[in-house]
Amino acid sequence: MSQDALIIEDDEMINMMICRYMKGMGLNAVGVKRFSEAKEYLRENEPRLVVTDVRLPDGDCLEHLAQLSENQPVIVLTAYGSVRNAVDAIKAGASEYLVKPISPDELVLVAQRALDNAKLRSDHLFFKRQLEVKEGADSFMIGDSAPLRHIKELINDVAPTDMTVLITGESGAGKELVARAIHQRSERSDSNYVAVDCCTLQENLFESELFGHEKGSFTGADKKKQGLIEGAEGGTLFLDEIGEISATVQAKLLRVLETGVFRRVGGTKDLTSNVRIVAATNRDLREMSEQGKFRSDLFYRLEAFNIHTPPLRERRDDIPSLVEHFIRNHNFSRRINKSLTKQSMRELVAYNWPGNVRELKNLVERAIILSREKSSIRPEHLAFSSRNNPDENQVILSFESDPTLDEVEQVYLQYLLEKYSGHRAQIAQCMGISERHIYRLIQKYGFDA
């Protein structure tokens, strides 16, 4: 946290005196005489403590106390002390209330108590969040958009069965999270879940890793080794990016799917597997099978039940929930309660996210670091990786048949409402109409204003 204390006092002598006492406590005190000056200071700084007089040349501080006390404790000073004034100040958000003339010892004691209480609250929130454990498969998929609800319904449908599942979608859209949810909700949830990234294993070692090998089956095979299929016995084997496996492995995997039987590399004995296979890919396996790059019989076997994970740009409603989840569950920064400003959230929702949820997670974690000691994550802390992407300005609206003008208007308005989080000024600017007209269109098509 910043080591600053902000002093708002129009009496120059008292202001200087309080600043001197704060500096004696190790705080870098900054003194201002008006609330307008304090407001300007708070736009760029986040002090640990605010000490303010009630009556200022440009207003009563109690009117602004809720704003002042949002991120730091506030000590209120007044020359007109009464029980009612004290109660009003505490209700408005003040941590402490002192009557002038101020005793230096009392001021230091009250200031230290306010800082200690603020630290206790911060620590409590930090440890509470660290101890929060989200149970069940829902913890893997954050949000409540219509596309995500559809995915959850499909998972609930297929999880209790032993059917092979193919999960498709763009990179970073959460395919492995869907696979984990399928495992957790299945009857195999008490057994192993083994994930294999088919891209990272060398082709000549992949077969050995998957099926295992017998001693002496190849150079360096000095002992028998069980494969990942055996390691997932009774559970779920997740094959990520299955479109990358070789034709030889494809044929052996097909045999496992059809008969439940396999052999270790160099072995002659048939082994039986009791494993459910869930596969994922960001490639078009149908097109690959038509081009002879992927076995068509394996493709049709895998596609017995398909779940397509939508890209993040198609479920923008989930972005605020995902951001909150990433902020609450990061584990590398100091104990600062971070939150996004409204403009920052609008920019996140409007962005097209070519890297999907993974890109969002990385951006939020980077913003936490770039915001340093501040509790607010602002637009300047957001580092988008593809602002100049030529596809960023493309808008694609889909219709089952030739649409009417009203249908085009309705779908486009819905798209903009989701993209800009209902911010009418931005939507009006995009559509080239007034905000009042936007309101009428929202009423016309029955959207939630």
Side-chain angles (χ1 to χ4, degrees):
M1 289 184 179
S2 169
Q3 296 297 311
D4 290 338
L6 175 62
I7 314 303
I8 315 171
E9 169 60 68
D10 59 324
D11 187 307
E12 188 171 351
M13 291 298 296
I14 297 177
N15 196 314
M16 292 175 61
M17 179 190 71
I18 296 174
C19 285
R20 186 165 65 250
Y21 294 147
M22 294 298 104
K23 288 177 181 177
M25 294 176 61
L27 299 175
N28 179 27
V30 176
V32 298
K33 297 179 181 179
R34 288 172 171 78
F35 181 76
S36 58
E37 297 172 1
K39 192 174 180 181
E40 189 67 27
Y41 175 84
L42 291 169
R43 284 198 185 99
E44 300 296 330
N45 302 276
E46 293 184 18
R48 288 185 61 197
L49 177 69
V50 173
V51 180
T52 179
D53 194 5
V54 170
R55 297 186 180 180
L56 298 168
D58 54 351
D60 190 319
C61 87
L62 295 184
E63 298 175 2
H64 309 286
L65 206 50
Q67 180 182 352
L68 283 174
S69 61
E70 187 175 2
N71 296 314
Q72 57 276 315
V74 177
I75 299 174
V76 171
L77 310 177
T78 182
Y80 309 95
S82 71
V83 173
R84 181 173 180 178
N85 289 343
V87 170
D88 289 343
I90 299 300
K91 282 184 176 180
S95 298
E96 302 282 352
Y97 182 88
L98 291 176
V99 179
K100 299 177 182 177
I102 308 164
S103 161
D105 292 338
E106 185 181 15
L107 176 63
V108 171
L109 178 65
V110 167
Q112 190 61 58
R113 184 168 63 207
L115 290 170
D116 289 344
N117 289 340
K119 186 176 185 302
L120 282 173
R121 285 193 295 271
S122 176
D123 288 348
H124 171 72
L125 286 173
F126 174 78
F127 288 115
K128 181 180 178 181
R129 287 172 175 175
Q130 290 294 93
L131 292 171
E132 282 181 351
V133 178
K134 292 188 175 181
E135 299 180 355
D138 284 339
S139 64
F140 288 109
M141 293 170 292
I142 307 300
D144 192 42
S145 65
L148 190 59
R149 287 199 302 270
H150 177 63
I151 295 297
K152 292 177 180 179
E153 289 172 359
L154 292 176
I155 291 171
N156 287 333
D157 292 339
V158 76
T161 74
D162 255 352
M163 186 175 287
T164 301
V165 181
L166 177 64
I167 306 168
T168 58
E170 297 178 6
S171 179
K175 295 187 292 295
E176 183 174 355
L177 305 183
V178 173
R180 285 182 178 272
I182 291 172
H183 173 73
Q184 281 200 341
R185 298 185 190 182
S186 72
E187 295 180 359
R188 297 175 176 268
S189 59
D190 291 334
S191 299
N192 287 342
Y193 170 86
V194 177
V196 186
D197 187 345
C198 300
C199 293
T200 58
L201 293 173
Q202 296 180 13
E203 185 175 343
N204 59 339
L205 295 177
F206 185 84
E207 187 177 353
S208 170
E209 289 294 321
L210 189 60
F211 301 106
H213 62 252
E214 299 290 347
K215 180 178 179 181
S217 57
F218 55 86
T219 303
D222 54 354
K223 60 181 179 181
K224 181 176 72 174
K225 177 186 175 182
Q226 290 187 343
L228 296 173
I229 288 180
E230 292 175 82
E233 179 68 17
T236 303
L237 177 67
F238 174 57
L239 300 175
D240 196 11
E241 301 306 339
I242 197 171
E244 309 299 325
I245 63 177
S246 67
T248 302
V249 177
Q250 288 178 36
K252 293 186 176 183
L253 182 59
L254 177 62
R255 186 182 182 220
V256 174
L257 287 172
E258 290 183 337
T259 66
V261 173
F262 69 99
R263 289 183 181 179
R264 298 192 188 103
V265 175
T268 57
K269 181 181 178 181
D270 284 339
L271 302 174
T272 303
S273 71
N274 175 23
V275 63
R276 180 185 197 170
I277 291 180
V278 177
T281 182
N282 62 4
R283 304 181 67 177
D284 189 339
L285 292 189
R286 183 182 296 278
E287 182 179 342
M288 290 176 64
S289 66
E290 291 172 353
Q291 295 175 352
K293 297 179 181 178
F294 194 87
R295 290 184 64 112
S296 58
D297 47 3
L298 177 57
F299 165 67
Y300 289 118
R301 183 79 190 190
L302 290 170
E303 208 194 25
F305 195 96
N306 177 258
I307 296 179
H308 178 72
T309 53
L312 187 55
R313 61 184 173 274
E314 292 181 7
R315 54 183 191 104
R316 298 178 191 270
D317 290 350
D318 294 333
I319 290 175
S321 298
L322 285 163
V323 169
E324 181 184 358
H325 174 76
F326 295 143
I327 289 176
R328 287 195 292 109
N329 289 280
H330 76 278
N331 57 5
F332 53 83
S333 74
R334 299 175 185 176
R335 300 171 188 175
I336 301 174
N337 186 20
K338 300 277 185 178
S339 62
L340 268 75
T341 63
K342 291 182 179 179
Q343 183 57 36
S344 297
M345 186 61 74
R346 289 193 191 105
E347 292 198 15
L348 293 184
V349 174
Y351 183 58
N352 268 351
W353 300 108
N356 293 298
V357 179
R358 185 183 296 125
E359 183 182 5
L360 174 62
K361 181 177 185 292
N362 292 340
L363 186 142
V364 170
E365 291 182 349
R366 178 178 172 85
I368 291 170
I369 295 172
L370 293 179
S371 59
R372 299 184 176 90
E373 313 299 335
K374 299 181 182 298
S375 63
S376 297
I377 296 177
R378 299 170 179 169
E380 60 265 28
H381 303 139
L382 306 178
F384 295 97
S385 60
S386 58
R387 279 293 197 188
N388 299 319
N389 187 339
D391 294 332
E392 193 74 9
N393 295 322
Q394 290 186 2
V395 177
I396 300 174
L397 305 177
S398 299
F399 300 90
E400 294 182 358
S401 59
D402 293 341
T404 65
L405 285 176
D406 279 351
E407 288 172 339
V408 172
E409 183 178 64
Q410 180 181 3
V411 172
Y412 185 46
L413 176 61
Q414 183 177 12
Y415 164 80
L416 292 177
L417 285 168
E418 293 175 356
K419 181 173 183 178
Y420 293 110
S421 301
H423 195 257
R424 292 179 194 166
Q426 289 179 289
I427 297 170
Q429 185 177 1
C430 287
M431 297 187 75
I433 57 180
S434 67
E435 287 188 52
R436 183 174 294 179
H437 194 176
I438 291 295
Y439 179 79
R440 286 198 294 266
L441 291 178
I442 289 172
Q443 296 296 312
K444 174 182 176 182
Y445 296 117
F447 292 129
D448 184 357

